[in-house]
Amino acid sequence: MTELQIYSLVGAGGIVAAVYGFNWWQEYRFRQQANKAFARNQPDVLLNTPKNMVRKGDGQRLEPILEPTPVAESAPLYDENRLDQAEYDVPDLSEAQLSDAQLSNTSKSTLSDDMPDDIPEMPPAYRSMYTPPAPVEPIAPAYTEPTFSAPPPLAPVAPVVAAVPTLQQEVVDEVVLAGSLLDPALDFIAEVHAPDAISASEVPPFPANKRIQVLGLNQNKQWEMLNSTTRGRFKELRIGLQMADRQGALSQESLNAFCMGVQQFADALDASVTFPQRAAKLNLAAELDEFCASVDVLIGLNIPAGSRPLPMEKVRILAEQAGLVRNHADGTFQYRSDSGKTLFVLANQDQTPLMSTSQGLTLLFDVPRVAGGLAVFDYLADFAQNLAMALHCDLVDDNQKPLNAASLANIRKQLSGLYASMDDRGIAPGSMAALRLFA
């Protein structure tokens, strides 16, 4: 072997080692950046609960964990003979059981007063289990001889014609919707001004690990949302990058990559582009993510089966009587608003699909994504208690600690504080902004 061959082999080995070392260093650097970007040190938000794992996207949830409250001894609710019977009707409950099933929080109003318009009323077949005490009739005043007088003539009433949405009104609604898709408090918005109109098909996908929304100013001087089906041309564009979601705050690396992509797009069209001040936006993103983490709560109320599996046919009938519908995509039961939004979910405790029997059920309530949350939680608590009673099981948290009426009322008080914080921030629960941030 000649010296040239030896030097060639040594050189080739050195090059391979250098490439391997460089790749290892790159992987180590990006791993450190990822750990730094997604690291979190947040306090508990609901009565000494474990760390909120919802925002890390690993499927775990935050459970209410309360100190046990001493209760009076009573006969056991679990009766094995009842499960052997083919009983699929709502059981007849005594007055004492109905009284125990009511929440003892006297400060909250009834569901009929608090429930928003978008939330369906309690079904008649299930409403009978929650009949409030009859109001005390006032004492009628002493009878007096009525006097009668001729009523004044009635003025003619013009017929009322229901307003039909016009095409112009639909266009206005679309403009308002498009304008609400970008918010300087939630998005980093780049503005592109081009000398010639830009076709929607020329807008490329921009590099980012957050939601991106593009709006274009059309010929009617109205902002229009751009998507894969848009065919118009626009002289101005607004490209928004969301600054926080359940995966964490926007990182400097992601922001730099996004800005570079927008700048290259503008340069190719001889267009000018303006960006907000990056350092201020990164600080706002971190502060926004910290706030979202403080109110991002997923509550689960559990009904373990005990020694025998739960009959799902009976659970199905009870759930449907309570107004829940079956979601065939994942097999769960969902309580939905009139507009179709999910308010809470009934699923297997181990997150497996529901079959003919279950070893345990859980009711999940995603706090910031539900509008009218307190009224929904009231209904959820009532349904959970009555479902556990009908199945002759206990209602517990993830640590198998019992949840009674006093515990649920205490959780409701904590939820009231979380919702007040969201309102003060200007992020209404269940709103478009909340659905974006807590996704």
Side-chain angles (χ1 to χ4, degrees):
M1 181 179 295
T2 63
E3 292 185 1
L4 177 60
Q5 292 175 329
I6 295 175
Y7 291 148
S8 299
L9 289 176
V10 173
I15 293 174
V16 171
V19 171
Y20 178 81
F22 178 76
N23 290 338
W24 179 89
W25 178 79
Q26 286 281 78
E27 181 181 357
Y28 172 79
R29 185 170 64 91
F30 284 118
R31 188 186 301 114
Q32 293 295 108
Q33 292 176 354
N35 292 336
K36 182 179 178 181
F38 294 103
R40 185 178 309 283
N41 183 16
Q42 62 186 48
D44 297 341
V45 295
L46 190 59
L47 299 179
N48 297 326
T49 55
K51 272 192 174 182
N52 187 347
M53 304 299 291
V54 179
R55 296 181 61 77
K56 294 186 180 179
D58 56 2
Q60 301 187 31
R61 66 176 186 270
L62 181 64
E63 298 289 350
I65 301 176
L66 303 172
E67 294 298 328
T69 304
V71 296
E73 296 184 359
S74 59
L77 294 176
Y78 183 80
D79 187 359
E80 296 184 356
N81 296 328
R82 295 291 299 275
L83 290 179
D84 296 335
Q85 303 174 4
E87 179 187 14
Y88 298 129
D89 296 325
V90 178
D92 296 330
L93 303 177
S94 64
E95 292 294 328
Q97 289 174 316
L98 285 176
S99 176
D100 293 339
Q102 300 294 328
L103 290 176
S104 63
N105 186 6
T106 58
S107 62
K108 66 178 181 180
S109 58
T110 61
L111 287 175
S112 59
D113 296 332
D114 290 345
M115 195 74 75
D117 295 337
D118 191 38
I119 299 176
E121 294 184 356
M122 198 178 299
Y126 199 74
R127 190 185 300 122
S128 59
M129 302 180 67
Y130 303 98
T131 303
V136 179
E137 295 292 338
I139 301 176
Y143 176 79
T144 57
E145 187 69 22
T147 59
F148 300 92
S149 60
L154 297 177
V157 180
V160 178
V161 180
V164 179
T166 62
L167 179 60
Q168 182 179 4
Q169 181 63 36
E170 294 179 357
V171 172
V172 171
D173 293 340
E174 292 180 359
V175 173
V176 173
L177 174 61
S180 64
L181 293 177
L182 290 182
D183 185 347
L186 308 179
D187 303 289
F188 181 91
I189 304 174
E191 297 184 358
V192 178
H193 303 266
D196 299 321
I198 304 172
S199 173
S201 60
E202 295 180 293
V203 180
F206 298 100
N209 58 357
K210 302 291 182 189
R211 170 188 176 274
I212 290 182
Q213 182 64 61
V214 183
L215 302 181
L217 189 64
N218 58 27
Q219 297 177 353
N220 298 325
K221 303 299 181 181
Q222 295 173 342
W223 290 103
E224 180 180 346
M225 179 176 58
L226 272 66
N227 51 43
S228 58
T229 62
T230 305
R231 294 293 180 264
R233 300 181 67 87
F234 311 90
K235 294 197 66 174
E236 294 184 23
L237 298 177
R238 289 180 179 174
I239 308 171
L241 173 63
Q242 188 167 312
M243 294 189 294
D245 55 21
R246 275 180 166 166
Q247 302 302 320
L250 177 65
S251 65
Q252 183 174 358
E253 291 78 9
S254 297
L255 180 58
N256 292 340
F258 169 77
C259 292
M260 184 178 298
V262 174
Q263 186 66 61
Q264 291 175 352
F265 164 69
D267 292 343
L269 300 174
D270 292 329
S272 61
V273 58
T274 58
F275 298 102
Q277 212 282 331
R278 299 189 193 184
K281 285 294 186 178
L282 287 174
N283 292 334
L284 179 59
E287 192 271 334
L288 177 63
D289 179 63
E290 182 179 358
F291 168 78
C292 291
S294 68
V295 297
D296 196 357
V297 177
L298 180 65
I299 292 179
L301 308 180
N302 304 314
I303 304 176
S307 60
R308 294 196 177 187
L310 300 177
M312 286 308 301
E313 178 64 16
K314 183 173 183 178
V315 173
R316 180 189 65 81
I317 294 177
L318 294 171
E320 291 178 351
Q321 288 178 347
L324 279 74
V325 295
R326 189 70 177 264
N327 182 17
H328 297 287
D330 55 9
T332 61
F333 289 93
Q334 298 181 356
Y335 187 66
R336 299 172 180 170
S337 65
D338 292 338
S339 60
K341 295 179 180 179
T342 300
L343 302 178
F344 62 81
V345 177
L346 173 65
N348 258 336
Q349 192 172 359
D350 57 4
Q351 302 302 312
T352 58
L354 292 172
M355 305 299 287
S356 59
T357 60
S358 174
Q359 295 298 327
L361 299 173
T362 184
L363 287 152
L364 299 176
F365 177 61
D366 200 344
V367 172
R369 292 178 60 88
V370 177
L374 290 180
V376 176
F377 178 77
D378 292 341
Y379 187 46
L380 167 67
D382 286 339
F383 172 65
Q385 291 181 103
N386 282 274
L387 179 61
M389 184 183 301
L391 297 174
H392 308 286
C393 297
D394 296 326
L395 184 66
V396 301
D397 62 14
D398 270 358
N399 290 336
Q400 303 302 311
K401 293 182 180 178
L403 296 173
N404 52 28
S407 304
L408 295 171
N410 202 0
I411 295 174
R412 187 185 192 276
K413 182 178 179 181
Q414 302 297 319
L415 291 179
S416 179
L418 293 178
Y419 284 133
S421 298
M422 294 186 67
D423 291 335
D424 293 341
R425 179 81 185 197
I427 303 173
S431 64
M432 183 178 296
L435 296 179
R436 288 172 52 191
L437 290 171
F438 301 97

